[in-house]
Amino acid sequence: MLTIPKLRHSNSPLFFLMAGPCAIEGRDMALRIAEHIAGLTDKLGIPYIFKGSYRKANRTKIDSFTGIGDEKALKILKEISDTFGAPTVTDIHESHEAALAAEYVDVLQIPAFLCRQTELIAAAAKTGKAVNVKKGQFLSGNSMKFAVEKVRDTHPESQVLLTERGNSFGYGDLVVDYRNLPEMQAFGVPVIMDCTHSLQQPNQTSGVTGGKPRLIETIAKAAIAVGADGLFIETHHNPGEAKSDGANMLPLDQLEDLLKKLVRVREAIL
């Protein structure tokens, strides 16, 4: 069972980090990113979970990049875990994916748009893996108690995590209500702030999701100040060339400076 997030609550000296590329685009890029982040987090003493989607299902256009092949990408995630000793997380979109993904990763993630899908959540919980449920853009923090109950009722030993990723604001923007973090922590689970997807600008007429990556630091600092247990940050060596969600990813070379600032923020509020 995953233990790192369970040991980290809002009064902890540090937070944990879920970070990596939006999608696994290939072995070399994934290992390169994982090595860089593992080195940074080890130096700063931040517990680290590598994030990478083995397949992307929620795409605007039918010809958008979806992945390099399920088992190929999942094997890369397993190699990263074995090489760097970091737990891994990936998202699943249909119930039948849970058992396959659970063979390779430590945390199964339920996408925000699917956070009400009972069979999907139950399938993830049945694997015994930790389950990270992203709060829907259409829900309050308090509403997520039902997602927590679905996991616990299905498999009481499964660890539950919840992730805040903003709420829809009009047709093409999101806004973060930081009241959701303590409201979800009241369920006795670690709560993560998704610092990159909360800055998306979805439903663009171009068919490609936009974003405001310059505000990642603002979102992250506020989340740590409020007491988030963990942060979720998608990052890439060159977001402009990323095959998925490049518009809201953090350039990898900016991560170290950001993490150092966040450690100081956490220390200041304790």
Side-chain angles (χ1 to χ4, degrees), residues 111-172:
F113 281 127
L114 301 176
C115 70
R116 287 171 50 89
Q117 297 299 102
T118 301
E119 289 187 4
L120 178 61
I121 293 174
K126 286 176 183 176
T127 68
K129 298 291 185 174
V131 181
N132 178 33
V133 187
K134 287 197 168 185
K135 182 184 72 62
Q137 301 92 324
F138 43 85
L139 291 176
S140 68
N142 282 327
S143 298
M144 292 302 290
K145 66 182 177 181
F146 302 111
V148 174
E149 290 173 358
K150 289 175 182 179
V151 175
R152 289 175 171 167
D153 287 350
T154 302
H155 194 292
E157 299 302 315
S158 289
Q159 186 176 352
V160 192
L161 304 92
L162 295 177
T163 296
E164 164 64 33
R165 51 98 74 234
N167 282 82
S168 295
F169 186 70
Y171 289 114

Side-chain angles (χ1 to χ4, degrees), residues 10-74:
S10 57
N11 60 353
S12 168
L14 282 179
F15 49 90
F16 63 91
L17 177 69
M18 280 187 178
C22 177
I24 300 297
E25 301 173 8
R27 177 180 179 274
D28 290 345
M29 67 81 70
L31 285 167
R32 183 182 172 197
I33 292 173
E35 181 178 25
H36 184 93
I37 303 175
L40 290 181
T41 53
D42 184 62
K43 180 170 65 175
L44 297 172
I46 298 172
Y48 173 48
I49 302 169
F50 178 84
K51 182 272 166 185
S53 296
Y54 77 95
R55 176 153 52 91
K56 304 301 296 184
N58 177 28
R59 303 289 86 190
T60 302
K61 298 192 296 184
I62 195 168
D63 59 350
S64 296
F65 174 80
T66 58
I68 60 174
D70 291 357
E71 290 204 55
K72 183 177 180 180
L74 287 167

Side-chain angles (χ1 to χ4, degrees), residues 73-143:
L74 287 167
K75 286 178 179 178
I76 292 170
L77 287 165
K78 183 66 167 62
E79 182 179 358
I80 286 170
S81 179
D82 292 341
T83 302
F84 302 107
T88 54
V89 56
T90 198
D91 38 324
I92 59 174
H93 304 86
E94 297 185 58
S95 302
H96 67 82
E97 298 176 33
L100 174 63
E103 294 180 18
Y104 298 92
V105 302
D106 303 281
V107 186
L108 298 178
Q109 182 168 283
I110 308 299
F113 281 127
L114 301 176
C115 70
R116 287 171 50 89
Q117 297 299 102
T118 301
E119 289 187 4
L120 178 61
I121 293 174
K126 286 176 183 176
T127 68
K129 298 291 185 174
V131 181
N132 178 33
V133 187
K134 287 197 168 185
K135 182 184 72 62
Q137 301 92 324
F138 43 85
L139 291 176
S140 68
N142 282 327
S143 298

Side-chain angles (χ1 to χ4, degrees), residues 190-256:
V191 173
I192 303 160
M193 181 70 228
D194 185 336
C195 303
T196 45
H197 288 98
S198 60
L199 291 167
Q200 281 184 332
Q201 293 179 306
N203 306 319
Q204 301 298 301
T205 55
S206 64
V208 178
T209 297
K212 298 179 180 179
R214 67 185 181 280
L215 295 177
I216 291 172
E217 182 174 321
T218 300
I219 295 291
K221 284 179 176 177
I224 293 300
V226 170
D229 300 294
L231 298 177
F232 180 108
I233 298 175
E234 288 189 339
T235 183
H236 194 281
H237 285 97
N238 187 346
E241 294 182 357
K243 295 182 179 180
S244 178
D245 281 0
N248 54 267
M249 278 201 275
L250 181 74
L252 189 62
D253 61 6
Q254 296 180 18
L255 183 60
E256 181 173 10

